[in-house]
């Protein structure tokens, strides 16, 4: 069915932007050759290579000899976000097409993408990403019944389409697939719209998080502001552009008739200054802090260690969000990604109080005891959640010592472990399996025969 599709004769031209850091020459060359061989000549304005300070400057320089190729080299390692923006700033064609440096564009990959952007410049469009085997470099077709998504760890994942979308695709498999999240590396987008939407966060480093951030941004509400009603004619194009965005809200889609293979690798073939975990957490935090409102707490609940990573100054991105009049994150969840399970935010944390003192981990970890400490109401070691019988402090739960079965200790949460299951009964915290209640009569919390009249067993929440 893709072969029967007709595309406009006057599709817009595109600038191809490829950033690389220490890419193998063979795969880089394969990428460029496939672009030139598999795209209509007149649609490729230029191929902009941004060499992100690879060890050998010749890697990029050698490719200058190829027609249409322009090479920009960074004077220090910038990471893929700033490198792509550098490429985009140098580009002149009306549509930008970003590619990783180890891909193979398939036949007629480009026309379906440009057609979609031509029809609506607020569409950000991706090809189906096929697999290039990292062992044999063979091109292997991938399923088109996938789209991008994420869990609360905010890591990109592929997910199968729902039943309704799958059945719709049975009758017309060329239909575009709306996707809540972009894989990140391969997409086309109107150049002006890329600028208007705020390009990329220039304070993100190396790799990761930028695909999340651009996906969140794609639902802005731009209200047309008519400052000088006298100049109606001049304003017509501006206003119609704005209101289209406002009505349709920008969109992110996978175009099944466009296919590009990508070498999926087991590990990053380059260094991360500061360590890959910290860089990824920093970038992801920046996206979460700017765009996710209170829902960022669900990310921190899933990745508590991320909270310890410094995320720098986000004021410019916060300003951008204001300027674009973007809808709240809740709107994104309801309209763009209703399939994502959203745990109740209001099942917020509690303090477990006795008088003026609160249940406290005392900074202890697994197997450590618990105690009471003056309430400070700032969360920290006094933050608890009741969840399916567990009394949870992040990943630690209140359990019983396996030695004496009496002292309360912290354990890695396990809802199948009987020792960790409790029931609230009035002021009492009763162990679900044993007829005993939490008691504070000793410095370390323990369980004792339940007695509702005993102050050391009375808690408020
Ligand atoms: O410091 C760097 N400077 C760079 O120029 C680090 C990387 N890069 C280049 C690198 O040479 C490559 O061309 O940036 C590109 C992407 O890096 P990869 O190939 O190591 O990333 P990836 O394929 O593992 O990761 C995916 O997620 C990234 C998140 O930041 C980017 O969005 C990648 O573009 C993206 N790749 C794809 O979407 C291709 C399909 C894979 C999937 C899913
Ligand atoms: Mn890649």
């Amino acid at each position: 069915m893709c072969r029967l599709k007709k595309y406009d004769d006057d599709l817009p031209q595109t600038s191809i932007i490829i950033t690389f850091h220490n890419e193998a020459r063979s795969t880089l060359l394969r990428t460029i050759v496939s672009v030139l061989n598999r795209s209509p000549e007149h649609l490729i304005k230029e191929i902009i290579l941004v060499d992100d300070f690879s060890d050998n400057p010749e890697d990029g320089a050698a490719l200058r000899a190829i027609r249409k190729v322009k090479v920009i080299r960074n004077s220090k390692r910038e990471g893929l976000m700033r490198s792509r923006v550098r490429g985009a700033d140098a580009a002149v064609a009306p549509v930008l097409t970003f590619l990783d440096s180890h891909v193979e564009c398939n036949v007629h990959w480009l026309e379906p993408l440009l057609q979609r952007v031509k029809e609506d410049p607020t569409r950000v469009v991706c090809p189906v990403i096929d697999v290039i085997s990292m062992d044999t470099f063979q091109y292997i077709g991938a399923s088109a019944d996938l789209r991008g998504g994420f869990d609360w760890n905010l890591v990109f994942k592929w997910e199968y389409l729902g039943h309704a979308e799958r059945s719709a695709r049975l009758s017309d498999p060329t239909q575009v697939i709306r996707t809540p999240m972009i894989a990140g590396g391969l997409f086309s987008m109107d150049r002006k719209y890329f600028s208007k939407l705020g390009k990329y966060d220039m304070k993100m480093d190396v790799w990761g998080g930028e695909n999340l951030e651009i996906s969140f941004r794609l639902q802005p509400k731009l209200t047309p502001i008519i400052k000088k009603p006298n100049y109606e004619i001049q304003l017509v194009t501006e206003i119609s552009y704005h209101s289209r965005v406002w009505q349709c809200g920008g969109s992110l889609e996978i175009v099944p008739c466009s296919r590009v293979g990508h070498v999926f690798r087991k590990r990053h073939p380059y260094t991360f200054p500061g360590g890959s975990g910290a860089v990824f957490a920093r970038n992801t935090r920046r996206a979460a802090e700017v765009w996710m409102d209170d829902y960022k707490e669900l990310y921190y609940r899933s990745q508590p260690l991320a909270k310890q990573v410094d995320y720098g100054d986000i004021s410019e991105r916060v300003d951008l969000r204001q300027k674009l009049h973007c809808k709240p994150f809740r709107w994104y969840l309801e309209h763009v990604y209703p399939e994502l399970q959203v745990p109740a935010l209001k099942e917020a944390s509690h303090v477990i109080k006795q008088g003026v003192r609160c249940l406290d981990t005392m900074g202890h970890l697994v197997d450590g005891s618990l105690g009471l400490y003056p309430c400070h109401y700032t969360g920290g070691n006094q933050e608890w959640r009741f969840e399916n019988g567990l009394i949870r402090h992040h990943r630690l739960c209140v359990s019983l010592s396996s030695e004496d079965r009496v002292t309360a200790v912290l354990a890695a949460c396990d809802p199948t472990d009987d020792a960790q299951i409790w029931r609230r009964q009035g002021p009492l915290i009763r162990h679900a399996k044993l007829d005993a209640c939490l008691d504070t009569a000793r410095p370390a919390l323990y369980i004792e025969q339940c007695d509702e009249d005993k102050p050391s067993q009375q808690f408020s929440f």
Side-chain angles (χ1 to χ4, degrees):
M1 290 174 91
C2 287
R3 285 195 182 135
L4 299 175
K5 288 241 158 190
K6 292 269 174 287
Y7 302 102
D8 294 352
D9 291 331
D10 58 344
L11 290 174
Q13 279 200 315
T14 187
S15 300
I16 309 281
I17 296 159
I18 301 166
T19 74
F20 67 95
H21 176 75
N22 288 350
E23 183 63 58
R25 289 186 176 195
S26 52
T27 43
L28 189 52
L29 185 63
R30 180 180 184 173
T31 304
I32 294 165
V33 168
S34 74
V35 170
L36 290 170
N37 284 352
R38 301 253 171 87
S39 316
E41 170 83 40
H42 67 286
L43 294 181
I44 304 290
K45 177 75 190 169
E46 59 198 347
I47 300 175
I48 300 179
L49 292 182
V50 184
D51 173 356
D52 189 12
F53 198 53
S54 300
D55 295 343
N56 187 348
E58 272 302 301
D59 291 352
L63 295 164
R64 268 210 187 94
I66 303 178
R67 68 198 156 95
K68 298 196 181 187
V69 172
K70 295 176 181 157
V71 185
I72 302 174
R73 179 171 157 88
N74 293 338
S75 53
K76 64 177 172 51
R77 178 90 177 276
E78 296 286 359
L80 72 91
M81 303 81 182
R82 287 190 294 277
S83 302
R84 279 187 195 159
V85 170
R86 222 180 145 201
D89 287 346
V92 295
V95 179
L96 305 175
T97 298
F98 295 97
L99 294 176
D100 271 12
S101 45
H102 33 258
V103 303
E104 177 180 326
C105 301
N106 214 321
V107 289
H108 296 306
W109 72 290
L110 187 60
E111 299 92 319
L113 299 178
L114 296 180
Q115 179 77 38
R116 296 294 295 175
V117 179
K118 182 192 167 196
E119 288 164 8
D120 179 346
T122 72
R123 287 179 186 150
V124 174
V125 296
C126 314
V128 171
I129 302 174
D130 288 323
V131 177
I132 299 177
S133 159
M134 64 171 190
D135 299 315
T136 63
F137 288 97
Q138 198 186 346
Y139 192 106
I140 304 160
S143 167
D145 284 327
L146 297 169
R147 62 173 201 173
F150 56 90
D151 287 319
W152 290 104
N153 60 11
L154 302 185
V155 174
F156 174 85
K157 62 166 191 182
W158 296 106
E159 49 184 45
Y160 281 101
L161 298 177
H163 181 72
E165 286 153 300
R166 271 207 320 277
S167 348
R169 282 179 49 69
L170 284 179
S171 54
D172 181 3
T174 70
Q175 266 175 34
V176 301
I177 299 163
R178 285 261 190 164
T179 183
M181 171 112 160
I182 185 178
L186 327 180
F187 63 97
S188 295
M189 181 170 185
D190 181 82
R191 182 163 55 85
K192 292 202 181 102
Y193 193 53
F194 181 71
S195 279
K196 181 168 262 173
L197 265 191
K199 301 178 184 178
Y200 278 123
D201 180 347
M202 298 294 274
K203 291 198 168 74
M204 285 191 181
D205 296 320
V206 189
W207 178 98
E210 94 293 342
N211 49 338
L212 189 74
E213 203 251 2
I214 199 170
S215 308
F216 291 166
R217 265 189 284 144
L218 274 167
Q219 288 78 31
K221 181 171 119 186
L222 296 176
T223 323
I225 303 164
I226 307 165
K227 282 195 189 128
K228 296 179 194 158
N230 297 347
Y231 297 109
E232 257 169 39
I233 297 165
Q234 243 178 294
L235 280 163
V236 166
T237 44
E238 265 298 292
I239 292 169
S240 62
Y241 186 73
H242 277 253
S243 51
R244 183 163 45 200
V245 179
W246 177 67
Q247 283 167 27
C248 312
S251 56
L252 195 49
E253 57 188 43
I254 297 170
V255 187
C257 289
S258 171
R259 283 180 174 261
V260 176
H262 170 259
V263 185
F264 288 84
R265 307 183 281 204
K266 283 213 180 82
R267 53 175 198 87
H268 300 281
Y270 42 76
T271 58
F272 279 70
S276 64
V279 172
F280 184 67
R282 178 190 153 94
N283 294 345
T284 307
R285 271 201 91 172
R286 292 185 65 81
E289 288 287 336
V290 175
W291 298 100
M292 289 175 70
D293 306 322
D294 289 349
Y295 294 92
K296 68 185 177 202
E297 291 308 327
L298 297 175
Y299 164 58
Y300 294 131
R301 219 185 271 179
S302 154
Q303 307 295 116
L305 289 179
K307 264 201 141 147
Q308 277 153 47
V309 177
D310 172 47
Y311 61 88
D313 171 19
I314 53 171
S315 53
E316 276 174 39
R317 299 311 273 180
V318 172
D319 290 349
L320 171 77
R321 188 177 172 182
Q322 297 255 309
K323 196 182 88 197
L324 293 175
H325 299 288
C326 297
K327 298 179 180 96
F329 193 70
R330 189 199 171 99
W331 186 93
Y332 173 88
L333 290 175
E334 283 171 3
H335 294 88
V336 183
Y337 203 9
E339 295 80 7
L340 180 64
Q341 295 284 327
V342 183
L345 256 185
K346 289 303 160 211
E347 184 38 75
S349 62
H350 299 267
V351 289
I352 301 180
K353 243 173 90 165
Q354 198 168 78
V356 294
R357 296 190 301 161
C358 283
L359 183 64
D360 196 300
T361 65
M362 313 303 277
H364 296 162
L365 299 170
V366 170
D367 289 336
S369 59
L370 299 99
L372 284 180
Y373 195 82
C375 298
H376 48 59
Y377 303 110
T378 55
N381 295 340
Q382 300 184 350
E383 197 177 322
W384 301 97
R385 284 191 177 81
F386 296 100
E387 196 182 285
N388 307 322
L390 298 172
I391 305 176
R392 189 186 255 281
H393 173 78
H394 303 294
R395 293 198 166 155
L396 295 173
C397 282
V398 179
S399 182
L400 289 178
S401 153
S402 52
E403 279 160 27
D404 62 11
R405 305 291 291 170
V406 170
T407 312
V409 293
L410 294 163
C413 295
D414 175 2
T416 65
D417 178 1
D418 282 348
Q420 299 186 18
I421 309 299
W422 306 84
R423 272 187 297 118
R424 271 156 62 182
Q425 186 189 334
L428 299 175
I429 302 177
R430 181 188 279 273
H431 195 271
K433 284 276 160 334
L434 309 167
D435 186 23
C437 288
L438 278 184
D439 199 311
T440 63
R442 302 181 200 154
L445 241 71
Y446 68 111
I447 50 169
E448 181 65 272
Q449 194 173 25
C450 294
D451 179 353
E452 211 169 318
D453 296 327
K454 210 175 155 196
S456 61
Q457 291 190 11
Q458 294 170 354
F459 298 92
S460 59
F461 308 100

